[in-house]
């Protein structure tokens, strides 16, 4: 069982909605900065932002104090990903590895593009539908190099170590063998998911081929180094909130009372979620190029 827990504030599917993370003592922490990147040897923590099959585009709020999870907003409207036929919402549990950062000031040698200014993304392919704000432990299997509107946006492929089949998955080829079609669907999903919003298809480095576990771990380690430079103020985060409660070498470290004051100033949890707009259920049929 995870020693972390989550607490919602305001109603889901509203602009005010937030999910804060807490440690084993019930103290508020940042999922970006305070949850260790490693859960164990060769096992990484993952912050689940979006449960599989759901549409609301939830993400770690990098610019808000304590970096709660909130729903992304574009032009004043809450964002939902479209259902690109034959997919329903996100086709994996989607989230991020804590204590990582894709530095927008660093031009990636593999993609020729700078980082997207967020923690590195993870697609978790296990059978359980995880909960928003859940912290799980994952094995890294591979990685896809997406280029999103000119920015490097790595997509890590991983599996929950608690998954009944986790022992059978040790590298990207195991996914190809045991879940035929899943990686192809993953590329297709990422290529086209913005098209219903009038955006062009996304591009990929390496001819949209997945790189293996060792390559993926090297990329994750490099984003951990960029994060450390960010949180220790060696790199200017330009608006990113580095407030944390555990990183002793960080000038942004605060005590638990200061963290609590941030959350206490917000609306209380709300039992009734707002209804999701009905058009979120719509199928989009898009001619593939």
């Amino acid at each position: 069982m995870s020693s972390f827990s989550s607490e919602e504030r305001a109603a889901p599917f509203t602009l005010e909605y937030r999910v804060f993370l807490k440690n084993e003592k019930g103290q508020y922490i940042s999922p970006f900065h305070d949850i260790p990147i490693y859960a164990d040897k060769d096992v990484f923590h993952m912050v689940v932002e979006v449960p599989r099959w759901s549409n609301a585009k939830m993400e770690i709020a990098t610019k808000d104090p304590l970096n709660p999870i909130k729903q992304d907003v574009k032009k004043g409207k809450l964002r939902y990903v479209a259902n690109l036929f034959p997919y329903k919402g996100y086709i994996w549990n989607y989230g991020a590895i804590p204590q990582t950062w894709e530095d927008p000031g660093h031009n990636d040698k593999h993609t020729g593009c700078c980082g997207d200014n967020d923690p590195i993304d993870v697609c978790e392919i296990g059978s359980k539908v995880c909960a928003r704000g859940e912290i799980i432990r994952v094995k890294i299997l591979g990685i896809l190099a997406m280029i999103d509107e000119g920015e490097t946006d790595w997509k890590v492929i991983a599996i929950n170590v608690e998954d009944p089949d986790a022992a059978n998955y040790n590298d990207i080829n195991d996914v190809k063998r045991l879940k035929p079609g899943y990686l192809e669907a993953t590329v297709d999903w990422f290529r086209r998911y913005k098209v219903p919003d009038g955006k062009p298809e996304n591009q990929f480095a390496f001819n949209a081929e997945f790189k293996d576990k060792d390559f993926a771990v090297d990329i994750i380690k490099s984003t951990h180094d960029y994060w450390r430079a960010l949180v220790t103020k060696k790199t200017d985060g330009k608006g990113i909130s580095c407030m944390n409660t555990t990183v002793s070498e960080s000038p942004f470290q605060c005590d638990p009372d200061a963290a609590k004051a941030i959350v206490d100033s917000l609306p209380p949890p709300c039992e009734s979620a707002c209804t999701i707009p009905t058009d979120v259920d719509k199928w989009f049929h898009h001619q593939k190029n």
Side-chain angles (χ1 to χ4, degrees):
M1 282 293 292
S2 170
S3 59
F4 302 101
S5 60
S6 64
E7 181 180 307
E8 295 182 311
R9 287 297 173 122
F13 317 121
T14 66
L15 292 168
E16 297 76 28
Y17 177 71
R18 302 288 185 272
V19 181
F20 286 89
L21 270 292
K22 297 192 282 191
N23 63 16
E24 69 283 354
K25 295 178 184 168
Q27 296 166 326
Y28 296 108
I29 58 171
S30 161
F32 188 1
H33 307 302
D34 289 319
I35 294 172
I37 179 174
Y38 291 104
D40 208 337
K41 188 180 188 300
D42 298 327
V43 178
F44 290 79
H45 278 125
M46 172 184 172
V47 181
V48 177
E49 298 166 318
V50 186
R52 188 170 79 239
W53 307 142
S54 65
N55 299 75
K57 192 176 190 308
M58 301 279 179
E59 56 188 24
I60 289 171
T62 56
K63 297 188 174 178
D64 292 8
L66 294 182
N67 316 111
I69 296 168
K70 70 176 182 182
Q71 192 167 348
D72 191 25
V73 177
K74 276 280 157 71
K75 295 178 182 170
K77 288 184 70 176
L78 294 165
R79 277 187 74 188
Y80 296 88
V81 301
N83 300 304
L84 278 170
F85 186 84
Y87 314 121
K88 166 69 179 91
Y90 287 73
I91 60 173
W92 350 254
N93 295 301
Y94 190 69
I97 296 179
Q99 297 188 338
T100 64
W101 181 53
E102 295 197 55
D103 183 352
H106 169 76
N107 193 299
D108 189 280
K109 66 182 179 186
H110 303 292
T111 64
C113 298
C114 293
D116 74 347
N117 205 26
D118 283 323
I120 199 165
D121 296 321
V122 194
C123 304
E124 192 280 317
I125 65 167
S127 55
K128 175 189 168 188
V129 176
C130 294
R132 187 185 311 133
E134 191 174 347
I135 308 301
I136 61 173
R137 298 175 301 139
V138 299
K139 287 166 71 170
I140 305 302
L141 303 173
I143 198 166
L144 176 68
M146 190 176 94
I147 299 167
D148 183 353
E149 297 181 35
E151 295 178 333
T152 303
D153 193 359
W154 292 102
K155 306 298 181 186
V156 174
I157 305 299
I159 190 164
N160 190 339
V161 296
E162 306 290 333
D163 191 272
D165 296 327
N168 298 325
Y169 291 86
N170 296 294
D171 213 323
I172 200 69
N173 287 330
D174 296 324
V175 186
K176 292 175 185 171
R177 180 171 55 88
L178 296 169
K179 291 185 185 279
Y182 203 4
L183 294 178
E184 293 83 351
T186 294
V187 172
D188 184 43
W189 194 98
F190 279 121
R191 190 186 299 283
R192 300 191 294 130
Y193 83 102
K194 288 187 173 180
V195 170
D197 298 328
K199 296 279 183 69
E201 291 187 352
N202 283 318
Q203 305 299 310
F204 302 89
F206 307 116
N207 200 28
E209 289 172 9
F210 288 82
K211 306 301 278 186
D212 66 10
K213 173 186 178 170
D214 289 343
F215 187 101
V217 170
D218 283 344
I219 295 292
I220 294 165
K221 286 178 176 174
S222 72
T223 62
H224 181 56
D225 292 338
Y226 297 133
W227 167 81
R228 189 162 294 285
L230 170 73
V231 82
T232 55
K233 216 174 176 180
K234 291 184 173 68
T235 303
D236 180 4
K238 295 179 180 164
I240 287 185
S241 174
C242 292
M243 183 181 189
N244 69 84
T245 65
T246 60
V247 187
S248 56
E249 67 270 39
S250 170
F252 306 104
Q253 188 181 11
C254 71
D255 62 37
D257 288 340
K260 185 174 184 297
I262 296 283
V263 185
D264 285 348
S265 67
L266 296 172
C270 183
E271 293 302 315
S272 57
C274 283
T275 51
I276 295 177
T278 53
D279 61 359
V280 172
D281 289 331
K282 183 179 172 184
W283 279 125
F284 281 88
H285 297 268
H286 166 240
Q287 205 66 44
K288 295 186 190 180
N289 293 337

